[in-house]
Amino acid sequence: MKLFSFEVPEPTEALPSIKSRYGILQWISSTDHKQLGILYLWVSLFFFLVGGFEAMLMRLQLAWPGLQIVSPQTFNELFTMHGTTMVFLVLMPTLIGLATYFLPLMIGANEMAFPRLNAMSLWMTLFGGLLLNFSFFAGGAPDAGWFSYAPLSEKNYSFSSGLDYYSIGLIVTGIGSIGAGLNFVVTTLTMRIKGMRLRKVPLFVWMVFINSFLILAAFPLLNAGLVMLLIDRQLGSHFFLPNTGGSALLWQHFFWAFGHPEVYILALPGFGIISEVIPVFSRKNIFGYTTLAATTVFIALLSFGVWAHHMFVAGLGNPINTFFAAGSMLIGIPTGIKIVNWMATMWGGNLYFSTSMLFAVAFILDFTLGGLSGIAVAIVPLDWRVTDTYFVVAHIHYVFLGGTLFTIFSGIYYWFPKISGRMLNERLGKWHFWLFLLGFNMTFFFQHILGFMGMPRRVFSYPDLPYYAILNLISSIGAVFMLIAVIIFIYNIFKSLRTGELAGNNPWNAWTLEWYTTSPPQLKNFETLPDVTSLRPIIDWEKQKAIQKS
Amino acid sequence: MEKSIYHIFRSSSEDTDIMNELFFHFFIAAFIVFLLVAAFLIFIVRKYKTKTLEKDHFTIQENRLTERLTLFLASVLVIVFLFLTVKVIFKIQKTPTEDQKPFVKITGHQWWWEIEYLGDTLFTANELHIPTGDKFVALMESADVVHDWYVPALGRKIDMVPGVTNFVWIQARDPGVYEGMCNEFCGAQHTWMRVEVFAHEPKEFDKWFQAQKEDAVEKPDSLFQKGKQLFQDKVCANCHTIRGTTAKAKVGPDLTHFASRNKMLGGKAEVNYENIQNWIKDPQKMKHGAYMPNFLMTEEEINALAHYLYNLK
């Protein structure tokens, strides 16, 4: 019997891409999803260094009570820009970048549905980010925190042009993200290889797909709010100015109606990565594919009914608080099921601990902690105790670092061979992992305790109350460990790009379609692909081949 | 005053007791969940670890029972804690009845607290003095941006949102000093927007209250009089009130009994002669971003003003 094989459709329209394979012009004009994915990753890495530098300055300032490394104003700009950069210019573009690179490969497509839109999304993200950071040179960066509560973000209270750059910069990157979201939805719906039903796509694809709906629904809210803020600041309107008829709470509703789905926008693709990595390194099928897919949908739906849990202290009243507490706690259920499913996938497998798998396992543990502290602040009376203290700082970092960033590291160690054709050095990778794990938990675990000791977040200094100094010092030392780990990671990337071990098509013996093509893939990802009948097409084909031989 | 560990579980009110209790229950539950996950994960890792990446792979049928069990357990936890949450919030954030008149109104300013004793219209600033005993209602407002009132031992935290009047129940069972701080980022000096609440026995409180109702002291010595004059001439009176004088503005803190307070500048400095001098000399140096202007006074003028203010006990 002959193996069925299907032609992979190529876009018919010629694309404005310079044909020469090298040169900066070619990268700038590229609409190839792989090149754009790589650019996304470089952009993220650049902003990761910027945001990380800001974090290090803050930890330096807070290492001991009463230090004056930076002025209060600068400190406020630092934490505002750190939060904004890490959320919008690091985690988002990394996840979108990985998806841009791998989503078409994993569904057996040669390109995204809208290649030009894809390029536009990237450049919007980059230029929005540059615009935002240009504020440092244009009279002062935004200084009202990453969620810029009005009226503090209004002209009367934030005099520099920082908040204007914040508004415009985020609108621009937001448009980029919306473009990317739209592209993922259409690509997943229309470009799958024949035989791959929507219920048989790899979980990473599924989660990016669901996630894109979140992007499409959430970002317009942010952009609407930002436009209003900009009109307030530039044209003197009063959307968020209470003493002239506006409402300060309106901004909070706008921001968090976007902001909480955003948390899941940053989490879901990460869940997807984990759902790819764990099965491969456990040598087992994913446990409960349907459940993992379904719980993702539940999380996405619920995420729009939880935003006011950021406002439990705003005095919205008991009935509203009850509703949003219920929504927020309910999200714990699908998330909990996911964690159990990942562990069940490992159960009875042959676990191989590459760096990628190490990050995935550490993710499960640290994310569980972040999830539990999340439930803590969903319980309204506990929120009344700890919100806006360092407990919340610890919580968001357990979710964004222990959660999302660990999955990103896991994904990069997993997919780097496919992107570059060379393996990342595992020895350096393990140094990176252990140092980062140690530094991360040192920095942020103790911040839970600082929260219990009443230290408010966003302070540039603190009174010398008992144990404040030592806990903050531990936290700062942990940050140094993370810095060293990141330096190792970056060294590893540059070293492996030149001298890393050659990867071959499928170094991890994985079974999703991206591993079927060469590493790195050619401009045209696939010439032909056999029929996809299960979640593990490569294994199916190998089996069929073996049968044919005998 | 001895320095004990400052933490949010110190309680001097029923509300805080209730919240602490819920916190304790949740902590136990969360700890068990975390231990289970950690133990299970460590067990799996130790048992199934291999040295090489196997080529073989196998499938295990989905086990619906595991999933349903997880679903069930998670749902039970959620329902229990949702129930407790609702019970507690309706108890703590109870709408005051007609005869439960608010006792004080606290208004957040960038970066100080204005305190108004309602009914008797006494204005003070930055220190809240209350009688021990039953809980009472405090109104929360903001004059500019969003602030947040949080004195952990006395009750929940509550935002001060401009344009909105929130309320919160405050109670101190035991006399003492309770520390609190602004919890919502409110601009350059959010860090130094701390507050101390002094709870007195009711009798003591009345004594304090009567003393505060007095107009500012009057002293005959020339330095004091010079300071008083300067307070008018140098337009301090355009922002501050000192009762008994012509200074009646409400932009900055009321200074009638300024020197009776423990701390100034939102807890940044002790009230003493030297700090007052430094503050008048160069406000930006002491509290960068504060709205107090620098009036470029001479050494002599500063001394007179500081002397005057330090005598406003």
Side-chain angles (χ1 to χ4, degrees):
Chain A
M1 195 179 89
K2 198 176 158 281
L3 270 177
F4 283 113
S5 55
F6 294 102
E7 193 86 12
V8 178
E10 183 78 339
T12 48
E13 220 176 318
L15 296 168
S17 178
I18 291 176
K19 284 292 177 220
S20 82
R21 204 148 144 52
Y22 302 104
I24 195 151
L25 262 181
Q26 199 267 335
W27 280 92
I28 290 174
S29 63
S30 175
T31 55
D32 176 46
H33 75 98
K34 297 181 290 298
Q35 279 184 315
L36 290 171
I38 291 169
L39 282 173
Y40 263 117
L41 295 178
W42 284 120
V43 167
S44 314
L45 185 65
F46 168 71
F47 284 120
F48 181 58
L49 295 180
V50 174
F53 176 70
E54 286 155 0
M56 290 309 295
L57 274 181
M58 284 191 283
R59 277 325 312 171
L60 194 62
Q61 163 94 356
L62 291 174
W64 204 252
L67 286 184
Q68 286 193 341
I69 314 276
V70 294
S71 74
Q73 176 62 26
T74 314
F75 188 85
N76 295 344
E77 292 174 14
L78 284 178
F79 72 67
T80 303
M81 286 302 287
H82 168 72
T84 315
T85 306
M86 288 304 192
V87 169
F88 293 97
L89 306 174
V90 178
L91 295 181
M92 285 281 293
T94 320
L95 293 170
I96 289 180
L98 285 173
T100 305
Y101 197 104
F102 286 104
L103 187 130
L105 278 166
M106 289 171 100
I107 59 173
N110 275 336
E111 190 43 278
M112 295 279 277
F114 307 118
R116 288 190 196 83
L117 179 64
N118 200 6
M120 188 191 92
S121 297
L122 167 83
W123 295 106
M124 290 293 253
T125 306
L126 174 61
F127 283 115
L130 291 179
L131 203 58
L132 182 63
N133 277 278
F134 182 72
S135 59
F136 276 115
F137 311 104
D143 56 359
W146 82 276
F147 39 79
S148 291
Y149 268 9
L152 185 62
S153 53
E154 295 280 1
K155 204 94 190 162
N156 321 14
Y157 303 107
S158 182
F159 319 112
S160 75
S161 51
L163 259 300
D164 301 313
Y165 281 95
Y166 169 91
S167 308
I168 300 173
L170 290 191
I171 288 172
V172 173
T173 58
I175 292 171
S177 304
I178 292 170
L182 187 72
N183 221 337
F184 291 140
V185 169
V186 180
T187 307
T188 314
L189 285 178
T190 61
M191 311 276 285
R192 296 189 315 279
I193 188 72
K194 210 168 169 187
M196 185 181 275
R197 310 270 303 277
L198 198 52
R199 288 162 70 180
K200 284 269 179 286
V201 295
L203 277 170
F204 178 69
V205 174
W206 177 256
M207 298 204 189
V208 168
F209 175 64
I210 297 299
N211 195 43
S212 302
F213 287 103
L214 280 187
I215 293 180
L216 288 178
F219 269 86
L221 286 165
L222 174 70
N223 281 8
L226 288 170
V227 168
M228 288 155 94
L229 180 63
L230 198 60
I231 295 176
D232 266 11
R233 288 179 61 89
Q234 290 297 322
L235 305 177
S237 66
H238 312 279
F239 286 112
F240 306 125
L241 283 167
N243 43 3
T244 41
S247 162
L249 283 175
L250 181 65
W251 168 264
Q252 298 189 15
H253 282 294
F254 264 106
F255 192 90
W256 290 122
F258 147 79
H260 209 81
E262 168 73 5
V263 173
Y264 296 97
I265 290 171
L266 296 178
L268 289 181
F271 293 171
I273 296 171
I274 292 303
S275 308
E276 297 300 324
V277 167
I278 287 182
V280 167
F281 291 110
S282 306
R283 313 309 304 156
K284 265 183 70 187
N285 244 17
I286 188 81
F287 180 92
Y289 174 91
T290 326
T291 316
L292 277 165
T295 47
T296 308
V297 180
F298 280 122
I299 292 178
L301 290 175
L302 282 171
S303 75
F304 282 97
V306 299
W307 80 84
H309 70 213
H310 294 271
M311 300 160 68
F312 281 158
V313 289
L316 295 178
N318 289 335
I320 295 178
N321 285 352
T322 306
F323 175 85
F324 285 99
S328 313
M329 282 186 225
L330 280 178
I331 276 200
I333 299 177
T335 316
I337 292 174
K338 275 191 191 317
I339 286 175
V340 171
N341 275 7
W342 289 321
M343 289 197 294
T345 306
M346 292 164 67
W347 176 271
N350 290 318
L351 309 183
Y352 174 68
F353 282 96
S354 65
T355 311
S356 176
M357 183 65 169
L358 284 172
F359 271 112
V361 171
F363 156 81
I364 295 182
L365 210 53
D366 279 325
F367 185 71
T368 304
L369 198 54
L372 287 169
S373 60
I375 303 280
V377 285
I379 298 174
V380 184
L382 307 195
D383 187 80
W384 289 345
R385 307 303 287 163
V386 294
T387 189
D388 286 318
T389 68
Y390 258 79
F391 184 86
V392 169
V393 178
H395 163 66
I396 49 175
H397 284 92
Y398 264 87
V399 173
F400 283 160
L401 262 74
T404 309
L405 190 62
F406 275 31
T407 66
I408 287 173
F409 280 142
S410 177
I412 286 177
Y413 278 93
Y414 178 60
W415 278 318
F416 186 86
K418 180 53 65 182
I419 299 176
S420 70
R422 290 177 186 275
M423 309 291 284
L424 275 173
N425 186 314
E426 281 288 308
R427 228 171 77 91
L428 288 174
K430 275 172 188 151
W431 274 99
H432 168 210
F433 169 74
W434 287 109
L435 274 173
F436 199 86
L437 186 73
L438 173 75
F440 164 71
N441 282 296
M442 240 173 110
T443 303
F444 295 109
F445 185 78
F446 293 96
Q447 292 186 356
H448 290 113
I449 300 168
L450 276 171
F452 291 151
M453 291 168 68
M455 179 162 158
R457 69 195 283 203
R458 302 177 159 181
V459 290
F460 60 81
S461 188
Y462 44 90
D464 193 8
L465 294 166
Y467 297 104
Y468 266 39
I470 185 71
L471 286 172
N472 272 294
L473 187 64
I474 293 173
S475 189
S476 294
I477 293 172
V480 175
F481 282 121
M482 278 196 277
L483 175 72
I484 298 170
V486 168
I487 291 172
I488 293 175
F489 171 60
I490 292 170
Y491 172 73
N492 194 358
I493 289 179
F494 282 99
K495 186 170 179 274
S496 302
L497 275 179
R498 279 183 293 112
T499 62
E501 196 189 321
L502 285 176
N505 286 5
N506 191 357
W508 311 119
N509 298 325
W511 43 75
T512 36
L513 288 181
E514 79 269 31
W515 301 104
Y516 188 72
T517 180
T518 53
S519 306
Q522 299 306 304
L523 186 61
K524 193 174 180 193
N525 296 340
F526 309 100
E527 291 294 338
T528 57
L529 277 172
D531 196 7
V532 177
T533 51
S534 78
L535 281 173
R536 305 192 293 172
I538 295 185
I539 289 172
D540 295 343
W541 301 332
E542 276 169 5
K543 272 185 195 152
Q544 279 174 335
K545 264 188 217 157
I547 292 168
Q548 275 181 356
K549 261 186 202 159
S550 64
Chain B
M1 200 177 75
E2 64 163 314
K3 275 208 162 179
S4 54
I5 300 177
Y6 177 69
H7 58 79
I8 60 170
F9 302 109
R10 180 187 176 195
S11 171
S12 191
S13 78
E14 279 168 44
D15 292 354
T16 307
D17 285 346
I18 297 170
M19 289 189 279
N20 280 352
E21 194 190 346
L22 179 57
F23 209 122
F24 182 69
H25 290 155
F26 179 73
F27 189 79
I28 301 278
F31 192 65
I32 292 172
V33 170
F34 183 73
L35 273 190
L36 280 177
V37 172
F40 191 47
L41 199 62
I42 290 168
F43 170 77
I44 294 173
V45 167
R46 289 182 65 92
K47 179 150 187 209
Y48 299 113
K49 196 174 166 179
T50 53
K51 280 261 176 290
T52 49
L53 184 66
E54 306 272 329
K55 187 117 176 78
D56 288 343
H57 33 77
F58 42 93
T59 327
I60 281 194
Q61 290 287 318
E62 290 182 338
N63 185 342
R64 293 282 167 184
L65 187 67
T66 321
E67 287 167 355
R68 282 186 192 145
L69 203 65
T70 320
L71 181 65
F72 175 73
L73 284 176
S75 307
V76 167
L77 274 180
V78 164
I79 289 165
V80 167
F81 280 101
L82 187 61
F83 173 74
L84 290 174
T85 300
V86 172
K87 205 176 106 186
V88 170
I89 62 175
F90 278 88
K91 204 174 209 169
I92 291 179
Q93 195 65 13
K94 206 186 279 170
T95 317
T97 56
E98 273 297 310
D99 47 313
Q100 290 169 321
K101 290 261 183 306
F103 180 60
V104 289
K105 182 168 95 180
I106 304 172
T107 308
H109 291 257
Q110 278 183 323
W111 299 284
W112 61 281
W113 314 86
E114 176 188 328
I115 290 152
E116 180 188 356
Y117 290 87
L118 298 164
D120 237 337
T121 54
L122 169 68
F123 283 93
T124 67
N126 287 337
E127 268 178 12
L128 177 64
H129 290 255
I130 55 171
T132 53
D134 289 341
K135 51 160 116 174
F136 59 84
V137 177
L139 299 181
M140 295 287 159
E141 286 185 358
S142 166
D144 35 51
V145 302
V146 183
H147 300 279
D148 184 278
W149 171 268
Y150 188 36
V151 183
L154 307 183
R156 62 165 289 195
K157 74 175 71 179
I158 183 89
D159 274 2
M160 302 165 138
V161 185
V164 177
T165 304
N166 282 331
F167 72 91
V168 67
W169 290 91
I170 294 179
Q171 181 190 23
R173 279 184 306 227
D174 315 309
V177 187
Y178 300 95
E179 215 173 313
M181 71 299 278
C182 174
N183 256 217
E184 190 63 76
F185 177 63
C186 56
Q189 284 292 344
H190 166 59
T191 304
W192 293 113
M193 186 164 167
R194 300 180 73 87
V195 64
E196 280 178 332
V197 178
F198 295 79
H200 308 282
E201 301 282 0
K203 248 188 217 153
E204 290 283 309
F205 176 77
D206 283 339
K207 226 157 69 186
W208 175 87
F209 194 81
Q210 289 314 321
Q212 292 286 313
K213 286 218 64 153
E214 299 284 316
D215 284 347
V217 287
E218 195 55 40
K219 292 211 171 151
D221 67 281
S222 64
L223 201 56
F224 184 92
Q225 288 300 332
K226 191 178 171 203
K228 191 178 168 190
Q229 195 56 43
L230 279 169
F231 198 84
Q232 296 296 335
D233 295 350
K234 294 286 179 182
V235 298
C236 306
N238 282 8
C239 292
H240 295 280
T241 300
I242 295 179
R243 267 178 287 124
T245 73
T246 45
K248 288 197 168 57
K250 285 252 165 65
V251 181
D254 184 299
L255 297 176
T256 312
H257 298 282
F258 168 66
S260 74
R261 292 175 202 148
N262 218 357
K263 288 185 174 159
M264 56 192 262
L265 309 184
K268 177 151 197 196
E270 306 269 327
V271 173
N272 61 38
Y273 189 65
E274 207 188 352
N275 282 339
I276 301 172
Q277 274 182 317
N278 289 336
W279 172 240
I280 300 172
K281 196 186 285 168
D282 190 352
Q284 292 307 313
K285 196 174 160 195
M286 246 184 127
K287 197 171 178 182
H288 185 84
Y291 287 106
M292 167 101 161
N294 185 349
F295 290 100
L296 302 169
M297 283 184 238
T298 63
E299 203 68 28
E300 203 183 330
E301 289 168 332
I302 290 170
N303 285 343
L305 255 177
H307 176 79
Y308 171 63
L309 290 170
Y310 196 48
N311 272 298
L312 297 176
K313 301 255 178 195

